[in-house]
Amino acid sequence: MALIDLPLLMKDAVRGKRSAVTCALKCGNQCAFGPCNHSDNATFRDVASAALSRRTVLGGSTAALAIGLAGTQGALAAPAGSTGAAPAKPKTTAPNGSALEFEAIAPVDAAADEFTVPEGFEWRSVIRWGDPLFADAPEFDWDAQSAEAQKQQFGYNNDYTEIQEIPGSKGRRAVMFVNHEYTNENIMFPASLDEDEVIDIGMAAHGLTVVELERQNHNKPYTYVQGAPLNRRILLDDEFALTGPAAGSDLLKTVEDPEGRTVLGTLGNCAGGLTPWGTLLSGEENFHSYFVAPGTSEAEQRYGLRDAPTARGWEKKHARFDATGEGYENEPNRFGYIVEVDPFDPTSTPRKHTALGRFKHEGANVIIAEDGRAVAYSGDDERFDYLYKFVSRDTYVEGDREHNMTLLENGDLYVAKFTGNSPAAEIDGSGELPSDGAFDGSGEWLPLLLDGESAVEGFSVEEVLVHTRLAADAVGPTKMDRCEDVEPSLHSRRVYVACTNNSNRGVEGYAAPDETNPRTENRDGHIVEIDEQGDQTSTTFAWNLLMVCGDPAQGDQTYFSGFPVDQVSPVSCPDNLAFDAVGNLWISTDGQPSGIGYNDGLFRVTLEGDARGRVEQFLSVPRDGETCGPIIRDEDRTAFVSVQHPGEDGSFEEQFSFFPDYDGKGPRPTVVQVMPSKPGRGLGR
Ligand code: FEO
Ligand code: CA
Ligand code: CA
Ligand code: CA
């Protein structure tokens, strides 16, 4: 049989444009149960009606749509522009001297099952779900899947993706790290497949992958190397070491791990980050959806744990996923961390760092502060949850990798409180700018853990680190509109926070709009820019909104740092962030403009100069897909994205996407490389 009765589970669960299937499988239908944060805070007052009355409807014509043509056959797709995508605006010079010049594509209709790139570019699969990683691994076969095969193959729903050159390879070999956030059994397997098999294969399709890539030279695409020495799958029965002050805590002990120091596997891995010492971080996000739990304690409720069958039913085969069972009460406490993996050592034990707290981590990104300490930023991606910062106890030592790999094991943990500088009455929920012309203000990092001691009255150190959401509630941080990626720029040292959306902002009974989260029922999200003004360890900061997203042509009240709204690519639901070599921000989306139905994409945003706030769409992913893990290598005029959940709403018998092979079988989540279609001759060269 296929997955348990999804339609029943999904009933009334969907909010906004989010696919019902994605809701059920990715987040355990968290939307249907409402936000988990019921701590005291300003609630909706009387702002909604005022907001609606002030809302400016711009009207205007719909932007030209690039409607999908017939699928591009084979791994190497047709050149860009063959899709009929019309430039959204005239070609401009690449900002800040980037070598990656392109003409923005028009948004692509959500019905199109195609991968669209700018004119002069092409795309190519790097690795697909099921591709064999090891020398003896079997080729992927839609009709003969098995858990044993899947354990040796690339996992499902690739999300965070990072590539590092292998030293000494002269740019020809690289090691890629990819996490696999979740599975969609409905489109992976025929309904006739035995439930046991569905569970076993589904579990094997979760986890992490490390795989080597090679290319002939900078002008040629990367391909993955089957059987390469660094290739690795990290699976749900692999050991992770808990580190930091909560390791060994009673809160982390189970009947299978009475020491509370070793966890099997990682779950819900979403975004991540490359550390300055060359390891990878990955965030355990919607872990709650894999567990049955009593759901009676304050802590369980705060994390969305419930006494109900899970979508995948793993609890039927593995006792540890049923936390109502004796000895397994703490198993969910062992997920929700930042994990760290050394991709250069296939024998290394991956670690879960309790010092960074436990919540629905989107990911984490590290920058070395001016005094040498490592600072990690991390968002808790749930409506009305918080933004966090970790500052290491010890300092970074250039060249001492072994030491640097301990930096995330001890330090201070903070949560953010934002204050706006405009009168509250001017934040009316419409997204219209206040009279000082900016959503901006100051902020504080409120301590949760300082110098190894709890900074929260009534919470022990281990309680702060395991029940972090409850500890944060006690100090009054700002309830955010779902912090996804949080990325510090190595160019400006400013920090960018993607707030993807929040359907409940300003709704009766929930927190009102504030200057940092200024729109009622925030459908399209926004980006916060934080400036710690020369000290990344500071407990104060300045902030402003870089952009308030949406489609101006559809009447959305938007803001792009003053850049003309009729000259930007419409952008909605920012999720993952990246920077190019010259400091431009790149945004990938998860839920493009919801009212009109565009496919998700990847966008470049100019941060400096007169064109600050300009948004240019670089690519668009196929139907139902989400754009994840962007990597920008503008020096090579190339970019990588992970296409997650293409064809999510289909079924095995009636697939909605055939990306990337277009062979009539079904979709395969895939890491894609985009590069100039004339090797060695990028646009403008
Ligand atoms: Fe897995 Fe926050 O997106
Ligand atoms: Ca202001
Ligand atoms: Ca994400
Ligand atoms: Ca998302």
Side-chain angles (χ1 to χ4, degrees):
M1 60 172 286
L3 213 54
I4 64 174
D5 190 359
L6 270 175
L8 192 64
L9 274 178
M10 296 182 304
K11 197 167 181 291
D12 299 327
V14 187
R15 299 290 184 274
K17 182 201 170 212
R18 203 31 141 168
S19 149
V21 177
T22 307
C23 281
L25 298 179
K26 189 173 208 161
C27 318
N29 278 327
Q30 190 57 42
C31 289
F33 297 91
C36 295
N37 190 351
H38 300 291
S39 60
D40 291 342
N41 204 335
T43 54
F44 179 83
R45 294 184 300 274
D46 207 18
V47 293
S49 54
L52 286 171
S53 65
R54 284 189 60 188
R55 187 175 176 86
T56 306
V57 179
L58 298 177
S61 61
T62 307
L65 297 181
I67 306 298
L69 303 177
T72 44
Q73 301 294 319
L76 189 59
S82 66
T83 58
K89 57 187 169 27
K91 180 181 168 186
T92 55
T93 303
N96 303 322
S98 171
L100 184 49
E101 293 196 353
F102 64 91
E103 295 178 21
I105 65 166
V108 176
D109 185 89
D113 184 26
E114 64 177 37
F115 193 103
T116 306
V117 294
E119 188 171 350
F121 287 78
E122 63 190 20
W123 65 270
R124 184 185 184 100
S125 303
V126 178
I127 192 166
R128 304 160 296 180
W129 165 50
D131 277 336
L133 291 169
F134 307 106
D136 298 330
E139 291 290 333
F140 178 71
D141 183 344
W142 279 99
D143 303 314
Q145 299 182 57
S146 71
E148 282 315 301
Q150 178 64 81
K151 286 177 180 176
Q152 304 173 67
Q153 297 167 335
F154 192 61
Y156 202 77
N157 268 349
N158 31 239
D159 196 320
Y160 174 63
T161 303
E162 186 56 272
I163 295 171
Q164 296 181 78
E165 274 191 16
I166 294 178
S169 70
K170 297 180 178 167
R172 289 198 284 267
R173 283 180 86 94
V175 61
M176 182 165 72
F177 172 90
V178 184
N179 64 25
H180 304 286
E181 186 177 11
Y182 70 106
T183 47
N184 182 346
E185 285 78 351
N186 289 342
I187 59 175
M188 294 167 72
F189 314 117
S192 57
L193 195 63
D194 176 75
E195 183 183 24
D196 256 24
E197 277 285 284
V198 169
I199 290 173
D200 292 348
I201 303 170
M203 289 181 72
H206 280 68
L208 313 171
T209 291
V210 178
V211 60
E212 286 190 39
L213 310 180
E214 68 179 3
R215 62 180 177 179
Q216 291 173 350
N217 59 53
H218 287 250
N219 297 317
K220 292 287 196 304
Y222 276 110
T223 55
Y224 86 91
V225 185
Q226 185 175 352
L230 297 180
N231 290 7
R232 185 180 188 187
R233 280 301 313 283
I234 299 174
L235 300 164
L236 273 160
D237 50 7
D238 284 325
E239 291 190 352
F240 283 66
L242 287 160
T243 80
S249 161
D250 285 349
L251 294 171
L252 299 178
K253 292 174 180 171
T254 70
V255 66
E256 291 176 7
D257 175 28
E259 299 296 315
R261 294 184 180 276
T262 307
V263 184
L264 296 183
T266 182
L267 288 168
N269 294 87
C270 197
L274 172 65
T275 65
W277 47 93
T279 60
L280 284 314
L281 306 180
S282 177
E284 295 188 310
E285 192 188 34
N286 288 302
F287 65 89
H288 69 288
S289 64
Y290 294 88
F291 292 97
V292 179
T296 48
S297 72
E298 191 183 10
E300 287 175 335
Q301 289 170 1
R302 190 64 180 81
Y303 286 85
L305 290 156
R306 286 181 282 275
D307 188 7
T310 67
R312 294 175 186 79
W314 294 355
E315 67 274 14
K316 296 177 193 169
K317 286 196 73 173
H318 300 276
R320 68 182 175 119
F321 294 109
D322 183 355
T324 66
E326 192 175 341
Y328 294 102
E329 297 86 348
N330 290 332
E331 188 68 10
N333 289 348
R334 295 144 59 84
F335 296 82
Y337 297 99
I338 291 297
V339 305
E340 182 175 6
V341 177
D342 181 358
F344 292 100
D345 180 1
T347 67
S348 60
T349 301
R351 293 169 297 155
K352 298 193 180 196
H353 294 306
T354 67
L356 277 72
R358 172 174 167 265
F359 44 91
K360 295 181 187 176
H361 280 280
E362 169 72 13
N365 284 281
V366 173
I367 188 169
I368 303 301
E370 294 73 7
D371 69 358
R373 287 185 281 172
V375 176
Y377 299 89
S378 186
D380 186 347
D381 179 11
E382 186 150 356
R383 290 171 295 169
F384 303 112
D385 259 293
Y386 309 131
L387 173 67
Y388 295 83
K389 174 166 102 167
F390 166 86
V391 180
S392 68
R393 181 190 65 191
D394 302 326
T395 54
Y396 177 79
V397 178
E398 184 69 36
D400 190 346
R401 194 160 183 268
E402 192 177 346
H403 163 78
N404 294 331
M405 284 176 62
T406 67
L407 290 178
L408 302 183
E409 297 184 358
N410 287 286
D412 299 333
L413 186 63
Y414 300 90
V415 64
K417 180 181 176 69
F418 293 82
T419 304
N421 62 12
S422 292
E426 293 186 12
I427 309 301
D428 62 7
S430 69
E432 201 168 304
L433 287 173
S435 58
D436 70 348
F439 296 110
D440 60 348
S442 57
E444 288 175 80
W445 291 108
L446 308 173
L448 300 174
L449 196 71
L450 266 184
D451 301 326
E453 305 284 334
S454 168
V456 186
E457 198 177 332
F459 284 77
S460 66
V461 168
E462 58 203 61
E463 286 169 339
V464 167
L465 297 181
V466 177
H467 302 318
T468 307
R469 283 181 164 186
L470 291 175
D473 291 343
V475 301
T478 299
K479 294 179 173 179
M480 303 295 289
D481 285 353
R482 293 186 54 201
C483 297
E484 299 252 24
D485 236 345
V486 187
E487 292 263 350
S489 164
L490 296 177
H491 287 260
S492 68
R493 304 187 72 79
R494 294 192 294 264
V495 181
Y496 294 83
V497 184
C499 293
T500 195
N501 57 51
N502 184 349
S503 55
N504 282 39
R505 172 67 64 180
V507 169
E508 188 75 44
Y510 294 102
D514 56 39
E515 197 163 345
T516 322
N517 302 278
R519 282 193 302 202
T520 300
E521 296 181 37
N522 181 11
R523 187 189 71 181
D524 295 311
H526 54 272
I527 308 267
V528 187
E529 183 181 61
I530 290 174
D531 188 347
E532 300 189 288
Q533 300 172 310
D535 180 6
Q536 226 76 33
T537 70
S538 174
T539 55
T540 60
F541 55 88
W543 66 270
N544 75 96
L545 296 195
L546 169 72
M547 61 172 65
V548 178
C549 302
D551 185 355
Q554 294 296 314
D556 292 339
Q557 185 69 56
T558 56
Y559 170 69
F560 299 95
S561 287
F563 194 80
V565 298
D566 60 352
Q567 294 178 42
V568 298
S569 297
V571 61
S572 180
C573 303
D575 193 322
N576 298 131
L577 304 177
F579 296 96
D580 62 25
V582 294
N584 300 303
L585 177 68
W586 290 68
I587 299 172
S588 64
T589 64
D590 175 16
Q592 260 294 75
S594 43
I596 37 191
Y598 295 146
N599 277 332
D600 279 308
L602 178 65
F603 303 78
R604 178 170 66 190
V605 183
T606 304
L607 293 180
E608 309 294 344
D610 292 343
R612 175 177 157 90
R614 176 175 57 190
V615 182
E616 302 165 285
Q617 184 166 1
F618 181 67
L619 61 79
S620 172
V621 301
R623 181 174 176 176
D624 302 345
E626 172 181 341
T627 318
C628 295
I631 303 167
I632 315 301
R633 293 280 184 268
D634 47 345
E635 64 275 28
D636 288 343
R637 300 182 299 282
T638 192
F640 301 81
V641 290
S642 267
V643 180
Q644 197 194 57
H645 59 78
E648 178 99 293
D649 287 346
S651 65
F652 190 86
E653 291 72 23
E654 188 182 351
Q655 299 282 11
F656 283 6
S657 171
F658 298 97
F659 168 82
D661 300 326
Y662 300 99
D663 59 0
K665 283 292 196 180
R668 294 171 72 177
T670 296
V671 179
V672 169
Q673 180 174 8
V674 177
M675 61 189 306
S677 48
K678 295 173 184 169
R681 289 177 52 207
L683 288 181
R685 292 276 157 145

